[in-house]
Amino acid sequence: MENVLQKFKYLYKCFILLIEYVGNIPILFIALFSIFFNWIFLRIYKNIFSNEFNLQKLLLFLSISILIYLLCVLFYYVEFSRRQNEGLLSGAKSVQFLSVLILLLFRLVMCVCMDFQNSKNSAAFTGAEGLFLIKIEEVSRSKGDKQEIIFQYDGVRGIGYINWFEDLNIGDVCEVYGGLSEPENFQDFDYRGYLRNKNIYLYGSRLKVKECRYDFDYREVSDYFLSLKRGLRAFRDGLSKNIEGNMPEPQASLLVGILFGSERAFSEDFEEHLRVSGTTHIIAASGYNVTILILLCNRLFSFLKKKQSLIFSLVMIWLFCIFSGLSASILRATVMGSITILALISGNVRNIHLLIPTGILILILVTPKILFDIGFQLSILATLGLVYLLPSITECIKRIFGIKKVGSWIEEYFFATLSCTLATLPVSISIFGKVSLVSIFANVLILPLTQSTMFYGVIALISSFISTTIGQYIYSVPYFQLKIFEKIVVSVGSVEWGYIDVENQLIGGLIGVFLIVFCIYFYPIDSENYYVKKYYNF
């Protein structure tokens, strides 16, 4: 009993030290407060205006929000003034941080007003039938005989499906027949809210293309971005055709998915095996591709100095992001990966604890709704899992078994995969209501294989442009590796109990709380992390 009380006392001290650390570093406190305020603000906003918009309700909501925000700013300013008088802070810092808070509120008000205007416009378009002139912003392959498009009609973004044989490209201006309506929710999924987080307000039904043309006038910054994405997509499609010409299916589609994050169609059985085994993210545009690439770069450039190796890793993940077509999920993961790498390049591991929340703050200043994007949440949690949960698990194992060091392979592959999987579990349960019981095992087996496949796939792709014969020989290496990949996915994905439904979403929240407490208790204490030297000696 006394031992248990000591552990609770230790946990309490760790928690108090963490709170004190956050309070003593203004940029960290401001970033975390801003993220929390942004989330609360938009959550209340979504609940109030989930069904319809009312201008009077909107003005009342904004007035109350601004008042509460100003009270928080006033309280914080008073606290800054007190600390300044005590000589703990400079006045310049308080002005800078208060400016960030005011900027965030201004950005949120702008976001809400734009959302209100888009919703108002989309309501006016709802029910319209006939011929429409739309601009294609994104094209992705879908299952069956359809391809999904993101389009813009009269300033409002929408989503729809076009026959697979239509030759569409980003930036095309198309005349289409069909109808426009507001997206409808599924029985157990808020599809309308999901699309609004992506600033999509319209659904195009029964769309048929009459005519398309490529005509950029470059009047807006978005036109330059679409033009860049169009060129990158054409380049990526050319590389994909090279792979398809040198490898059979499904290995060709697997390699294209791993290298470029392109969405590919597989058989229904193989798709099911991917879902059950929890390996879908490996062949899709996700942050996992970025993580694999960082690990691969660390191994390839291990002969260099640490800082030089990190710089190469930074360059490589941005090249991968560009070649993947600057997709939103890859771009977000690349930004978060860059933040982590920059913290390590700085030579002070403590910087990572400041840069992660600061990076998130910058992203929400650009796109406030990004906090509700599922892909962004998973990318953030995976990053936090590697930064906090991985060393906590390693420290826990050291304490339990009384050892000083864990094997590098176990820590790099098994514990890293376990950390990412556990960290993303709360969102996976809350959003999807499903858990793969075999995903950790499958990913541990596949991770080293995927790294090697990515390396030899790039070598084969480059070699094929130099010599077709040499390229075909080198392509045999990733082909053999992807055959093993396929066997592992099918074997693990065939387990009948590998996938379970979790009906109570509260379980996801409880798991999240447990992981936070676990990290607070077991996170290794030294002078390089957030338990700085003057605090941890207790």
Side-chain angles (χ1 to χ4, degrees), residues 198-372:
K198 299 177 178 292
N199 295 317
I200 297 174
Y201 301 86
L202 289 174
Y203 179 80
S205 58
R206 306 181 304 280
L207 296 181
K208 294 184 179 179
V209 178
K210 178 185 177 183
E211 182 184 4
C212 283
R213 66 180 185 275
Y214 176 61
D215 184 19
F216 267 109
D217 50 15
Y218 297 102
R219 294 179 181 177
E220 300 178 0
V221 176
S222 59
D223 290 332
Y224 290 93
F225 184 69
L226 288 178
S227 178
L228 175 61
K229 290 188 68 175
R230 182 186 179 96
L232 292 173
R233 179 184 174 88
F235 179 71
R236 186 186 65 188
D237 288 345
L239 297 179
S240 299
K241 289 180 180 178
N242 181 290
I243 294 174
E244 292 167 356
N246 286 279
M247 295 179 70
E249 294 291 349
Q251 283 73 35
S253 292
L254 287 172
L255 185 57
V256 169
I258 291 172
L259 291 182
F260 309 124
S262 301
E263 187 177 348
R264 310 290 287 190
F266 298 97
S267 66
E268 292 186 5
D269 290 340
F270 192 64
E271 289 273 7
E272 181 64 21
H273 292 321
L274 286 170
R275 282 193 294 270
V276 172
S277 61
T279 54
T280 307
H281 55 277
I282 295 177
I283 55 170
S286 68
Y288 195 78
N289 303 73
V290 177
T291 303
I292 291 175
L293 186 56
I294 292 175
L295 294 175
L296 175 60
C297 290
N298 288 338
R299 298 176 69 88
L300 290 178
F301 303 121
S302 59
F303 61 92
L304 298 175
K305 294 181 179 179
K306 187 66 175 178
K307 185 172 292 188
Q308 293 174 336
S309 174
L310 290 170
I311 292 174
F312 272 107
S313 299
L314 187 64
V315 172
M316 292 300 294
I317 64 174
W318 276 103
L319 287 176
F320 172 75
C321 178
I322 293 171
F323 289 143
S324 67
L326 295 174
S327 63
S329 56
I330 293 291
L331 184 59
R332 289 190 297 265
T334 302
V335 170
M336 295 310 301
S338 300
I339 290 172
T340 305
I341 292 174
L342 288 173
L344 296 175
I345 289 176
S346 69
N348 189 347
V349 181
R350 282 185 57 203
N351 287 344
I352 197 171
H353 311 300
L354 308 180
L355 286 175
I356 289 179
T358 305
I360 298 173
L361 173 60
I362 294 172
L363 289 175
I364 65 175
L365 285 173
V366 177
T367 311
K369 291 182 180 179
I370 197 172
L371 278 182
F372 295 95

Side-chain angles (χ1 to χ4, degrees), residues 107-233:
R107 186 67 186 91
L108 284 170
V109 172
M110 283 184 58
C111 176
V112 169
C113 292
M114 291 176 61
D115 195 24
F116 177 79
Q117 185 62 42
N118 285 328
S119 298
K120 184 179 177 181
N121 292 340
S122 64
F125 301 145
T126 297
E129 297 275 350
L131 184 65
F132 303 99
L133 190 66
I134 63 174
K135 177 181 283 188
I136 307 296
E137 292 189 355
E138 190 62 66
V139 182
S140 60
R141 296 292 178 183
S142 302
K143 295 179 182 178
D145 58 351
K146 300 291 182 182
Q147 51 184 326
E148 182 183 271
I149 62 169
I150 305 296
F151 62 88
Q152 187 178 117
Y153 172 69
D154 202 9
V156 181
R157 300 180 78 218
I159 188 172
Y161 294 88
I162 301 288
N163 288 327
W164 66 271
F165 54 80
E166 298 287 356
D167 186 16
L168 302 177
N169 207 337
I170 296 172
D172 285 348
V173 177
C174 301
E175 288 185 288
V176 297
Y177 291 103
L180 298 177
S181 62
E182 289 189 358
E184 296 182 358
N185 291 332
F186 302 142
Q187 185 176 3
D188 56 349
F189 181 61
D190 183 14
Y191 185 58
R192 183 185 300 177
Y194 168 78
L195 291 179
R196 280 185 175 177
N197 289 335
K198 299 177 178 292
N199 295 317
I200 297 174
Y201 301 86
L202 289 174
Y203 179 80
S205 58
R206 306 181 304 280
L207 296 181
K208 294 184 179 179
V209 178
K210 178 185 177 183
E211 182 184 4
C212 283
R213 66 180 185 275
Y214 176 61
D215 184 19
F216 267 109
D217 50 15
Y218 297 102
R219 294 179 181 177
E220 300 178 0
V221 176
S222 59
D223 290 332
Y224 290 93
F225 184 69
L226 288 178
S227 178
L228 175 61
K229 290 188 68 175
R230 182 186 179 96
L232 292 173
R233 179 184 174 88

Side-chain angles (χ1 to χ4, degrees), residues 81-129:
S81 299
R82 183 187 67 80
R83 297 176 65 83
Q84 180 184 351
N85 292 334
E86 295 176 359
L88 299 176
L89 287 171
S90 65
K93 290 184 178 180
S94 62
V95 174
Q96 294 170 1
F97 299 145
L98 289 174
S99 299
V100 171
L101 294 178
I102 295 172
L103 178 62
L104 174 62
L105 180 62
F106 176 74
R107 186 67 186 91
L108 284 170
V109 172
M110 283 184 58
C111 176
V112 169
C113 292
M114 291 176 61
D115 195 24
F116 177 79
Q117 185 62 42
N118 285 328
S119 298
K120 184 179 177 181
N121 292 340
S122 64
F125 301 145
T126 297
E129 297 275 350

